Amino acid sequence: MFGFLNIYKPSGITSHDVISILRKITKIKQIGHTGTLDPFAEGVLPVCIGKATRLIEYLDDEKAYIGTIQLGKSTTTYDTEGDIVKTSSKKVNLQDIETVLKNFTGEIEQLPPIYSAIKIKGKKLYEYARAGESVDIQPRKINIKHLDIIRWNPETMQLELYIECSKGTYIRSLANDIGESLEVYGHLIKLVRAKAGCFELKNAIKLENIKTTDDVFANLINPLECLNYPVYYVNNDEYQLIANGNPIKTNCDSKAIILTNSENRIIAVGEIKNNLIKPIKVFI
């Protein structure tokens, strides 16, 4: 079994739980996902089955989310799982929000939340937080392409946003930072990942609908549908060369290329240099 699954991860379980469930169903150990979702979050979780785990690095990594921010309160974790640390009774209007959001689009620097799995000096940030230890967290450059208001409720002070962003963006931090900029504080109360690379919410399969190996097969996605690289179809002679790890000639000027056979099956990922395709990952 070789391919991708577009799984809808429900709220309340971890991304690792999803992998464990699929391993139990398929009896395949070589299963992984392309990006962790917090337990309270839901939505698109791309899953790689079998040798497709070796293709993770070639997948597009831009993400899109629908996040709901509760203004008026901030928490230790920047979401509903933390303790409330700051409150404000100040009211804001839609114009205030639109003005502030302009400061969060494009390339910006963001501080990851202290309750996260990022490692500093071999120790995860949340371990420092739970131990009450201070640690120097450096900001990271991220890119927010779109930050659009879906819904604003001035009565409940809840703001729903559509966010398209680069890999490594923490929507929890974004919620906290927006609240700080509005001077009313804020925390994330709902998060749905709507897109991860080519995997979209509208095509995601609910985990509860995957109960047998046949269900997995029925929803398996050919990696060729998800890899944004040139494709080179090899003939029989070239197939044998690739199978033995030998390069083949080409006129293509791309840096990386996907090699396939007449059955539209990935044979290898190649690297091009000096008009030669050198196989770097072989799937024969």
Side-chain angles (χ1 to χ4, degrees):
M1 194 180 295
F2 176 31
F4 301 129
L5 286 177
N6 183 5
I7 295 293
Y8 190 106
K9 185 193 87 68
S11 176
I13 68 172
T14 68
S15 301
H16 182 71
D17 290 335
V18 174
I19 300 305
S20 297
I21 291 169
L22 292 173
R23 283 174 178 165
K24 188 176 292 185
I25 291 171
T26 62
K27 311 302 180 187
I28 297 173
K29 290 185 178 180
Q30 196 177 15
I31 299 179
H33 61 77
T34 67
T36 300
L37 273 176
D38 288 338
F40 103 105
E42 58 189 276
V44 170
L45 183 69
V47 173
C48 307
I49 307 289
K51 291 181 180 180
T53 53
R54 300 172 62 198
L55 294 169
I56 289 177
E57 66 184 280
Y58 300 102
L59 290 168
D60 291 338
D61 54 15
E62 290 192 346
K63 308 290 194 302
Y65 297 91
I66 298 170
T68 305
I69 303 170
Q70 177 64 64
L71 296 175
K73 299 175 183 178
S74 65
T75 71
T76 52
T77 58
Y78 302 167
D79 61 21
T80 57
E81 298 185 347
D83 299 323
I84 296 173
V85 289
K86 295 178 182 178
T87 61
S88 172
S89 58
K90 177 184 174 182
K91 296 294 182 181
V92 295
N93 57 41
L94 186 58
Q95 186 176 358
D96 296 330
I97 295 169
E98 289 174 338
T99 299
V100 161
L101 292 185
K102 292 177 183 177
N103 299 324
F104 291 93
T105 56
E107 189 174 277
I108 63 173
E109 288 193 337
Q110 182 186 70
L111 277 175
I114 184 63
Y115 282 90
S116 64
I118 293 173
K119 285 188 176 182
I120 293 181
K121 296 180 180 179
K123 192 174 178 179
K124 294 177 181 178
L125 284 182
Y126 68 75
E127 293 176 328
Y128 287 104
R130 290 172 182 172
E133 301 175 5
S134 60
V135 61
D136 183 27
I137 306 174
Q138 295 298 316
R140 297 180 167 197
K141 284 187 178 181
I142 60 168
N143 192 346
I144 298 182
K145 289 189 172 182
H146 294 282
L147 185 57
D148 304 320
I149 298 172
I150 298 175
R151 190 176 294 106
W152 161 241
N153 188 325
E155 299 299 322
T156 61
M157 292 281 283
Q158 289 183 2
L159 173 65
E160 187 177 25
L161 298 172
Y162 174 78
I163 308 128
E164 283 188 15
C165 55
S166 61
K167 179 182 179 181
T169 302
Y170 279 91
I171 309 302
R172 286 184 289 143
S173 286
L174 183 64
N176 180 78
D177 294 344
I178 289 172
E180 291 280 352
S181 293
L182 286 166
E183 299 181 344
V184 295
Y185 313 118
H187 66 283
L188 196 65
I189 60 172
K190 185 175 182 180
L191 182 64
V192 178
R193 184 151 66 193
K195 184 179 179 182
C198 69
F199 302 90
E200 298 185 16
L201 194 63
K202 62 183 180 181
N203 300 320
I205 307 300
K206 289 185 177 180
L207 184 61
E208 63 193 55
N209 293 334
I210 303 292
K211 297 178 180 178
T212 67
T213 302
D214 287 342
D215 294 332
V216 175
F217 267 117
N219 292 286
L220 207 59
I221 302 168
N222 187 328
L224 287 175
E225 297 179 26
C226 306
L227 300 174
N228 190 24
Y229 289 91
V231 174
Y232 181 90
Y233 295 92
V234 302
N235 58 38
N236 291 335
D237 292 336
E238 291 171 328
Y239 182 95
Q240 292 304 319
L241 288 170
I242 294 297
N244 293 320
N246 295 314
I248 58 176
K249 294 181 180 180
T250 184
N251 292 320
C252 183
D253 58 1
S254 175
K255 290 183 179 179
I257 194 164
I258 307 299
L259 306 176
T260 69
N261 62 8
S262 58
E263 297 175 354
N264 213 31
R265 180 173 174 270
I266 291 183
I267 294 170
V269 176
E271 189 176 63
I272 300 176
K273 191 174 182 180
N274 298 326
N275 293 326
L276 290 175
I277 301 175
K278 179 183 177 182
I280 54 177
K281 291 190 179 183
V282 178
F283 300 96
I284 299 172

